[in-house]
Amino acid sequence: METIRETVKQDKKIGRFTAVIEVFGASAKLGLTSFGGPIAHLGYFHNEYIRRRKWMDERSYAELVALCQFLPGPASSQVGIGAGIVRAGWLGGLAAWLGFTLPSILALVAFAFLIKSYDIGFMGWIHGLKIVAVAVVAHAVLGMGQKLAPDRDRAMIAVMAASIMLFWQTAYSQIIIIAAAGLIGLWLYRKKAAEAAPVLNITISRSFAVTCLVLFFMLLIALPLLRQASDLEWLAMFDSFYRTGSLVFGGGHVVLPLLEHEIVSAGWVSKEDFLTGYGAAQAVPGPLFTFASYLGTVAGGLSGAIIATTAIFLPAYLLVAGALPFWNVLRNNPKIQGMLIGINAAVVGILLAALYDPLWTTAIMEPGDFALAAILFVMLAIWKLPSWLIVVTGSAGGIMLGLL
């Protein structure tokens, strides 16, 4: 009897290991091919995880996407982590994150070493990458504004958030703006009936979820205190990237203003190198948050890349694993929904402020720069061409502008 029990346990272990390997293989495939940003990533996930592999049903996938839109952090990465957890437990979530992000990490780390090793700052294509970033963020502002701030009240929240962000740039500006927008949304939409949501089937335990949430908040509180009590640069870097990953609502391009304040203001990366890397990040597949891998490499080499990448993505994993078992209750709460409406509108304003400073003020210096940005924007927003083609065109345009 004991032998039979041991055999059953061994078979279960083999089954879990096989599932983790399956998750890693599927996510690595997507990490190599998923161009186009967070919205496109969700389409790739749906095709691979739901249609082909049937890891969950359509309803469950839709609810997982809704949850990850609600949480701070990189939404597409969080959806992948959630799918991995549902398929193969907590290890499956790690495997899904690693497979999806690793190709982008390697590409941006290699680019950062190129920037550090060779004097390429004079090349026109570097300036072209900065103009690419202007076009990409302008497109993101337009798309998010149409979806998240379509009426008078939400548009006003977005404009107020942008104005405050431009005139009051401190370490806590974005946090305070988001909190205030949540309270405004709660007041404006307090009488709006909550939309009924279907039940999402979650397999991880609530005790595991609580452990993840406790760890998330402990790190968020303890890291700044440890940073003040120590002069360790790696600890300061871990704190900056962890806080960024913990407090950025909307994911994707919204990470730009907070990272710029944390990293450039600390003197770890110059503004020119920062914007160059942001432009390069548009050319690689996978999540935009791997921009942190580039910044970490420029600031501290390979060890810096590991610290920055781990720190900025760790909150995403802890929040998804911690929130999944409780999402069914929160999803149907009208107060939570009202706060989310206000927060989403503020996110549009924060991104609008970043479009002006540091992007526009640094990249658009002459009429030719504006013309190239306009062309790239039309290619992206109207012609809907792939991101890699926008990057190639922007780099070539930057070289041509340098020759004029």
Side-chain angles (χ1 to χ4, degrees):
M1 180 66 72
E2 191 65 30
T3 303
I4 293 175
R5 289 177 180 174
E6 291 179 359
T7 302
V8 171
K9 289 182 180 179
Q10 187 67 23
D11 289 342
K12 288 182 178 180
K13 289 181 180 179
I14 294 173
R16 285 196 295 266
F17 178 76
T18 302
V20 170
I21 295 300
E22 178 194 11
V23 169
F24 179 80
S27 59
K29 171 186 173 183
L30 293 174
L32 289 167
T33 58
S34 296
F35 291 89
I39 301 303
H41 295 164
L42 297 180
Y44 288 119
F45 288 161
H46 182 270
N47 184 64
E48 183 69 21
Y49 297 156
I50 310 306
R51 289 184 178 177
R52 290 191 67 251
R53 300 179 182 271
K54 302 187 185 303
W55 288 354
M56 64 182 79
D57 56 52
E58 296 279 353
R59 183 182 69 182
S60 296
Y61 180 74
E63 282 298 294
L64 178 61
V65 172
L67 168 61
C68 296
Q69 295 290 346
F70 172 81
L71 296 173
S76 62
S77 295
Q78 288 170 318
V79 170
I81 291 170
I85 289 175
V86 171
R87 176 60 177 169
W90 68 273
L91 277 176
L94 289 177
W97 168 77
L98 184 61
F100 185 58
T101 57
L102 190 57
S104 177
I105 291 171
L106 295 177
L108 290 176
V109 167
F111 181 73
F113 275 118
L114 178 66
I115 291 289
K116 293 181 66 176
S117 301
Y118 300 97
D119 183 14
I120 59 175
F122 67 93
M123 295 183 180
W125 66 276
I126 295 294
H127 184 63
L129 287 177
K130 297 177 185 178
I131 298 176
V132 167
V134 172
V136 169
V137 174
H139 181 236
V141 170
L142 177 63
M144 293 177 66
Q146 291 172 339
K147 182 179 180 181
L148 302 178
D151 52 47
R152 183 182 62 183
D153 290 337
R154 282 180 281 183
M156 182 56 65
I157 292 174
V159 171
M160 290 174 59
S163 302
I164 295 171
M165 196 70 189
L166 287 172
F167 285 101
W168 183 48
Q169 297 186 5
T170 70
Y172 303 101
S173 300
Q174 185 165 333
I175 304 171
I176 294 172
I177 289 170
I178 287 174
L183 293 176
I184 293 172
L186 175 62
W187 181 75
L188 288 176
Y189 301 97
R190 63 190 183 280
K191 296 181 180 180
K192 182 179 179 180
E195 300 178 4
V199 176
L200 178 63
N201 182 33
I202 302 300
T203 58
I204 62 175
S205 68
R206 289 198 172 191
S207 59
F208 180 83
V210 170
T211 301
C212 289
L213 290 176
V214 169
L215 181 58
F216 167 80
F217 286 108
M218 283 182 60
L219 289 172
L220 189 61
I221 295 171
L223 284 172
L225 299 177
L226 293 173
R227 178 179 183 172
Q228 291 181 356
S230 171
D231 58 356
L232 297 174
E233 186 166 307
W234 71 266
L235 183 60
M237 184 180 294
F238 194 96
D239 170 52
S240 290
F241 281 98
Y242 183 86
R243 196 150 20 91
T244 299
S246 301
L247 301 175
V248 172
F249 284 84
H253 304 287
V254 186
V255 76
L256 179 69
L258 191 54
L259 268 183
E260 193 270 342
H261 178 82
E262 289 283 344
I263 307 307
V264 176
S265 298
W268 289 327
V269 177
S270 69
K271 181 173 286 191
E272 290 72 22
D273 285 347
F274 181 89
L275 294 177
T276 297
Y278 188 75
Q282 315 302 321
V284 298
L288 186 59
F289 267 48
T290 52
F291 177 40
S293 305
Y294 164 89
L295 295 175
T297 305
V298 173
L302 187 58
S303 61
I306 295 172
I307 291 170
T309 306
T310 302
I312 201 169
F313 279 104
L314 180 58
Y317 181 89
L318 295 176
L319 285 171
V320 171
L324 276 174
F326 307 104
W327 177 234
N328 289 322
V329 176
L330 294 175
R331 180 89 167 104
N332 291 293
N333 188 313
K335 294 181 179 180
I336 296 296
Q337 291 188 2
M339 293 180 67
L340 181 58
I341 290 173
I343 288 172
N344 285 339
V347 164
V348 176
I350 290 170
L351 190 57
L352 178 61
L355 174 62
Y356 176 74
D357 184 14
L359 289 176
W360 188 280
T361 56
T362 304
I364 309 301
M365 312 299 293
E366 299 178 356
D369 298 336
F370 177 81
L372 178 58
I375 292 171
L376 296 175
F377 179 82
V378 169
M379 292 173 64
L380 190 62
I382 308 300
W383 294 356
K384 301 187 184 303
L385 297 177
S387 299
W388 66 266
L389 186 57
I390 307 301
V391 172
V392 171
T393 304
S395 299
I399 294 173
M400 293 179 64
L401 289 173
L403 297 174
L404 295 178

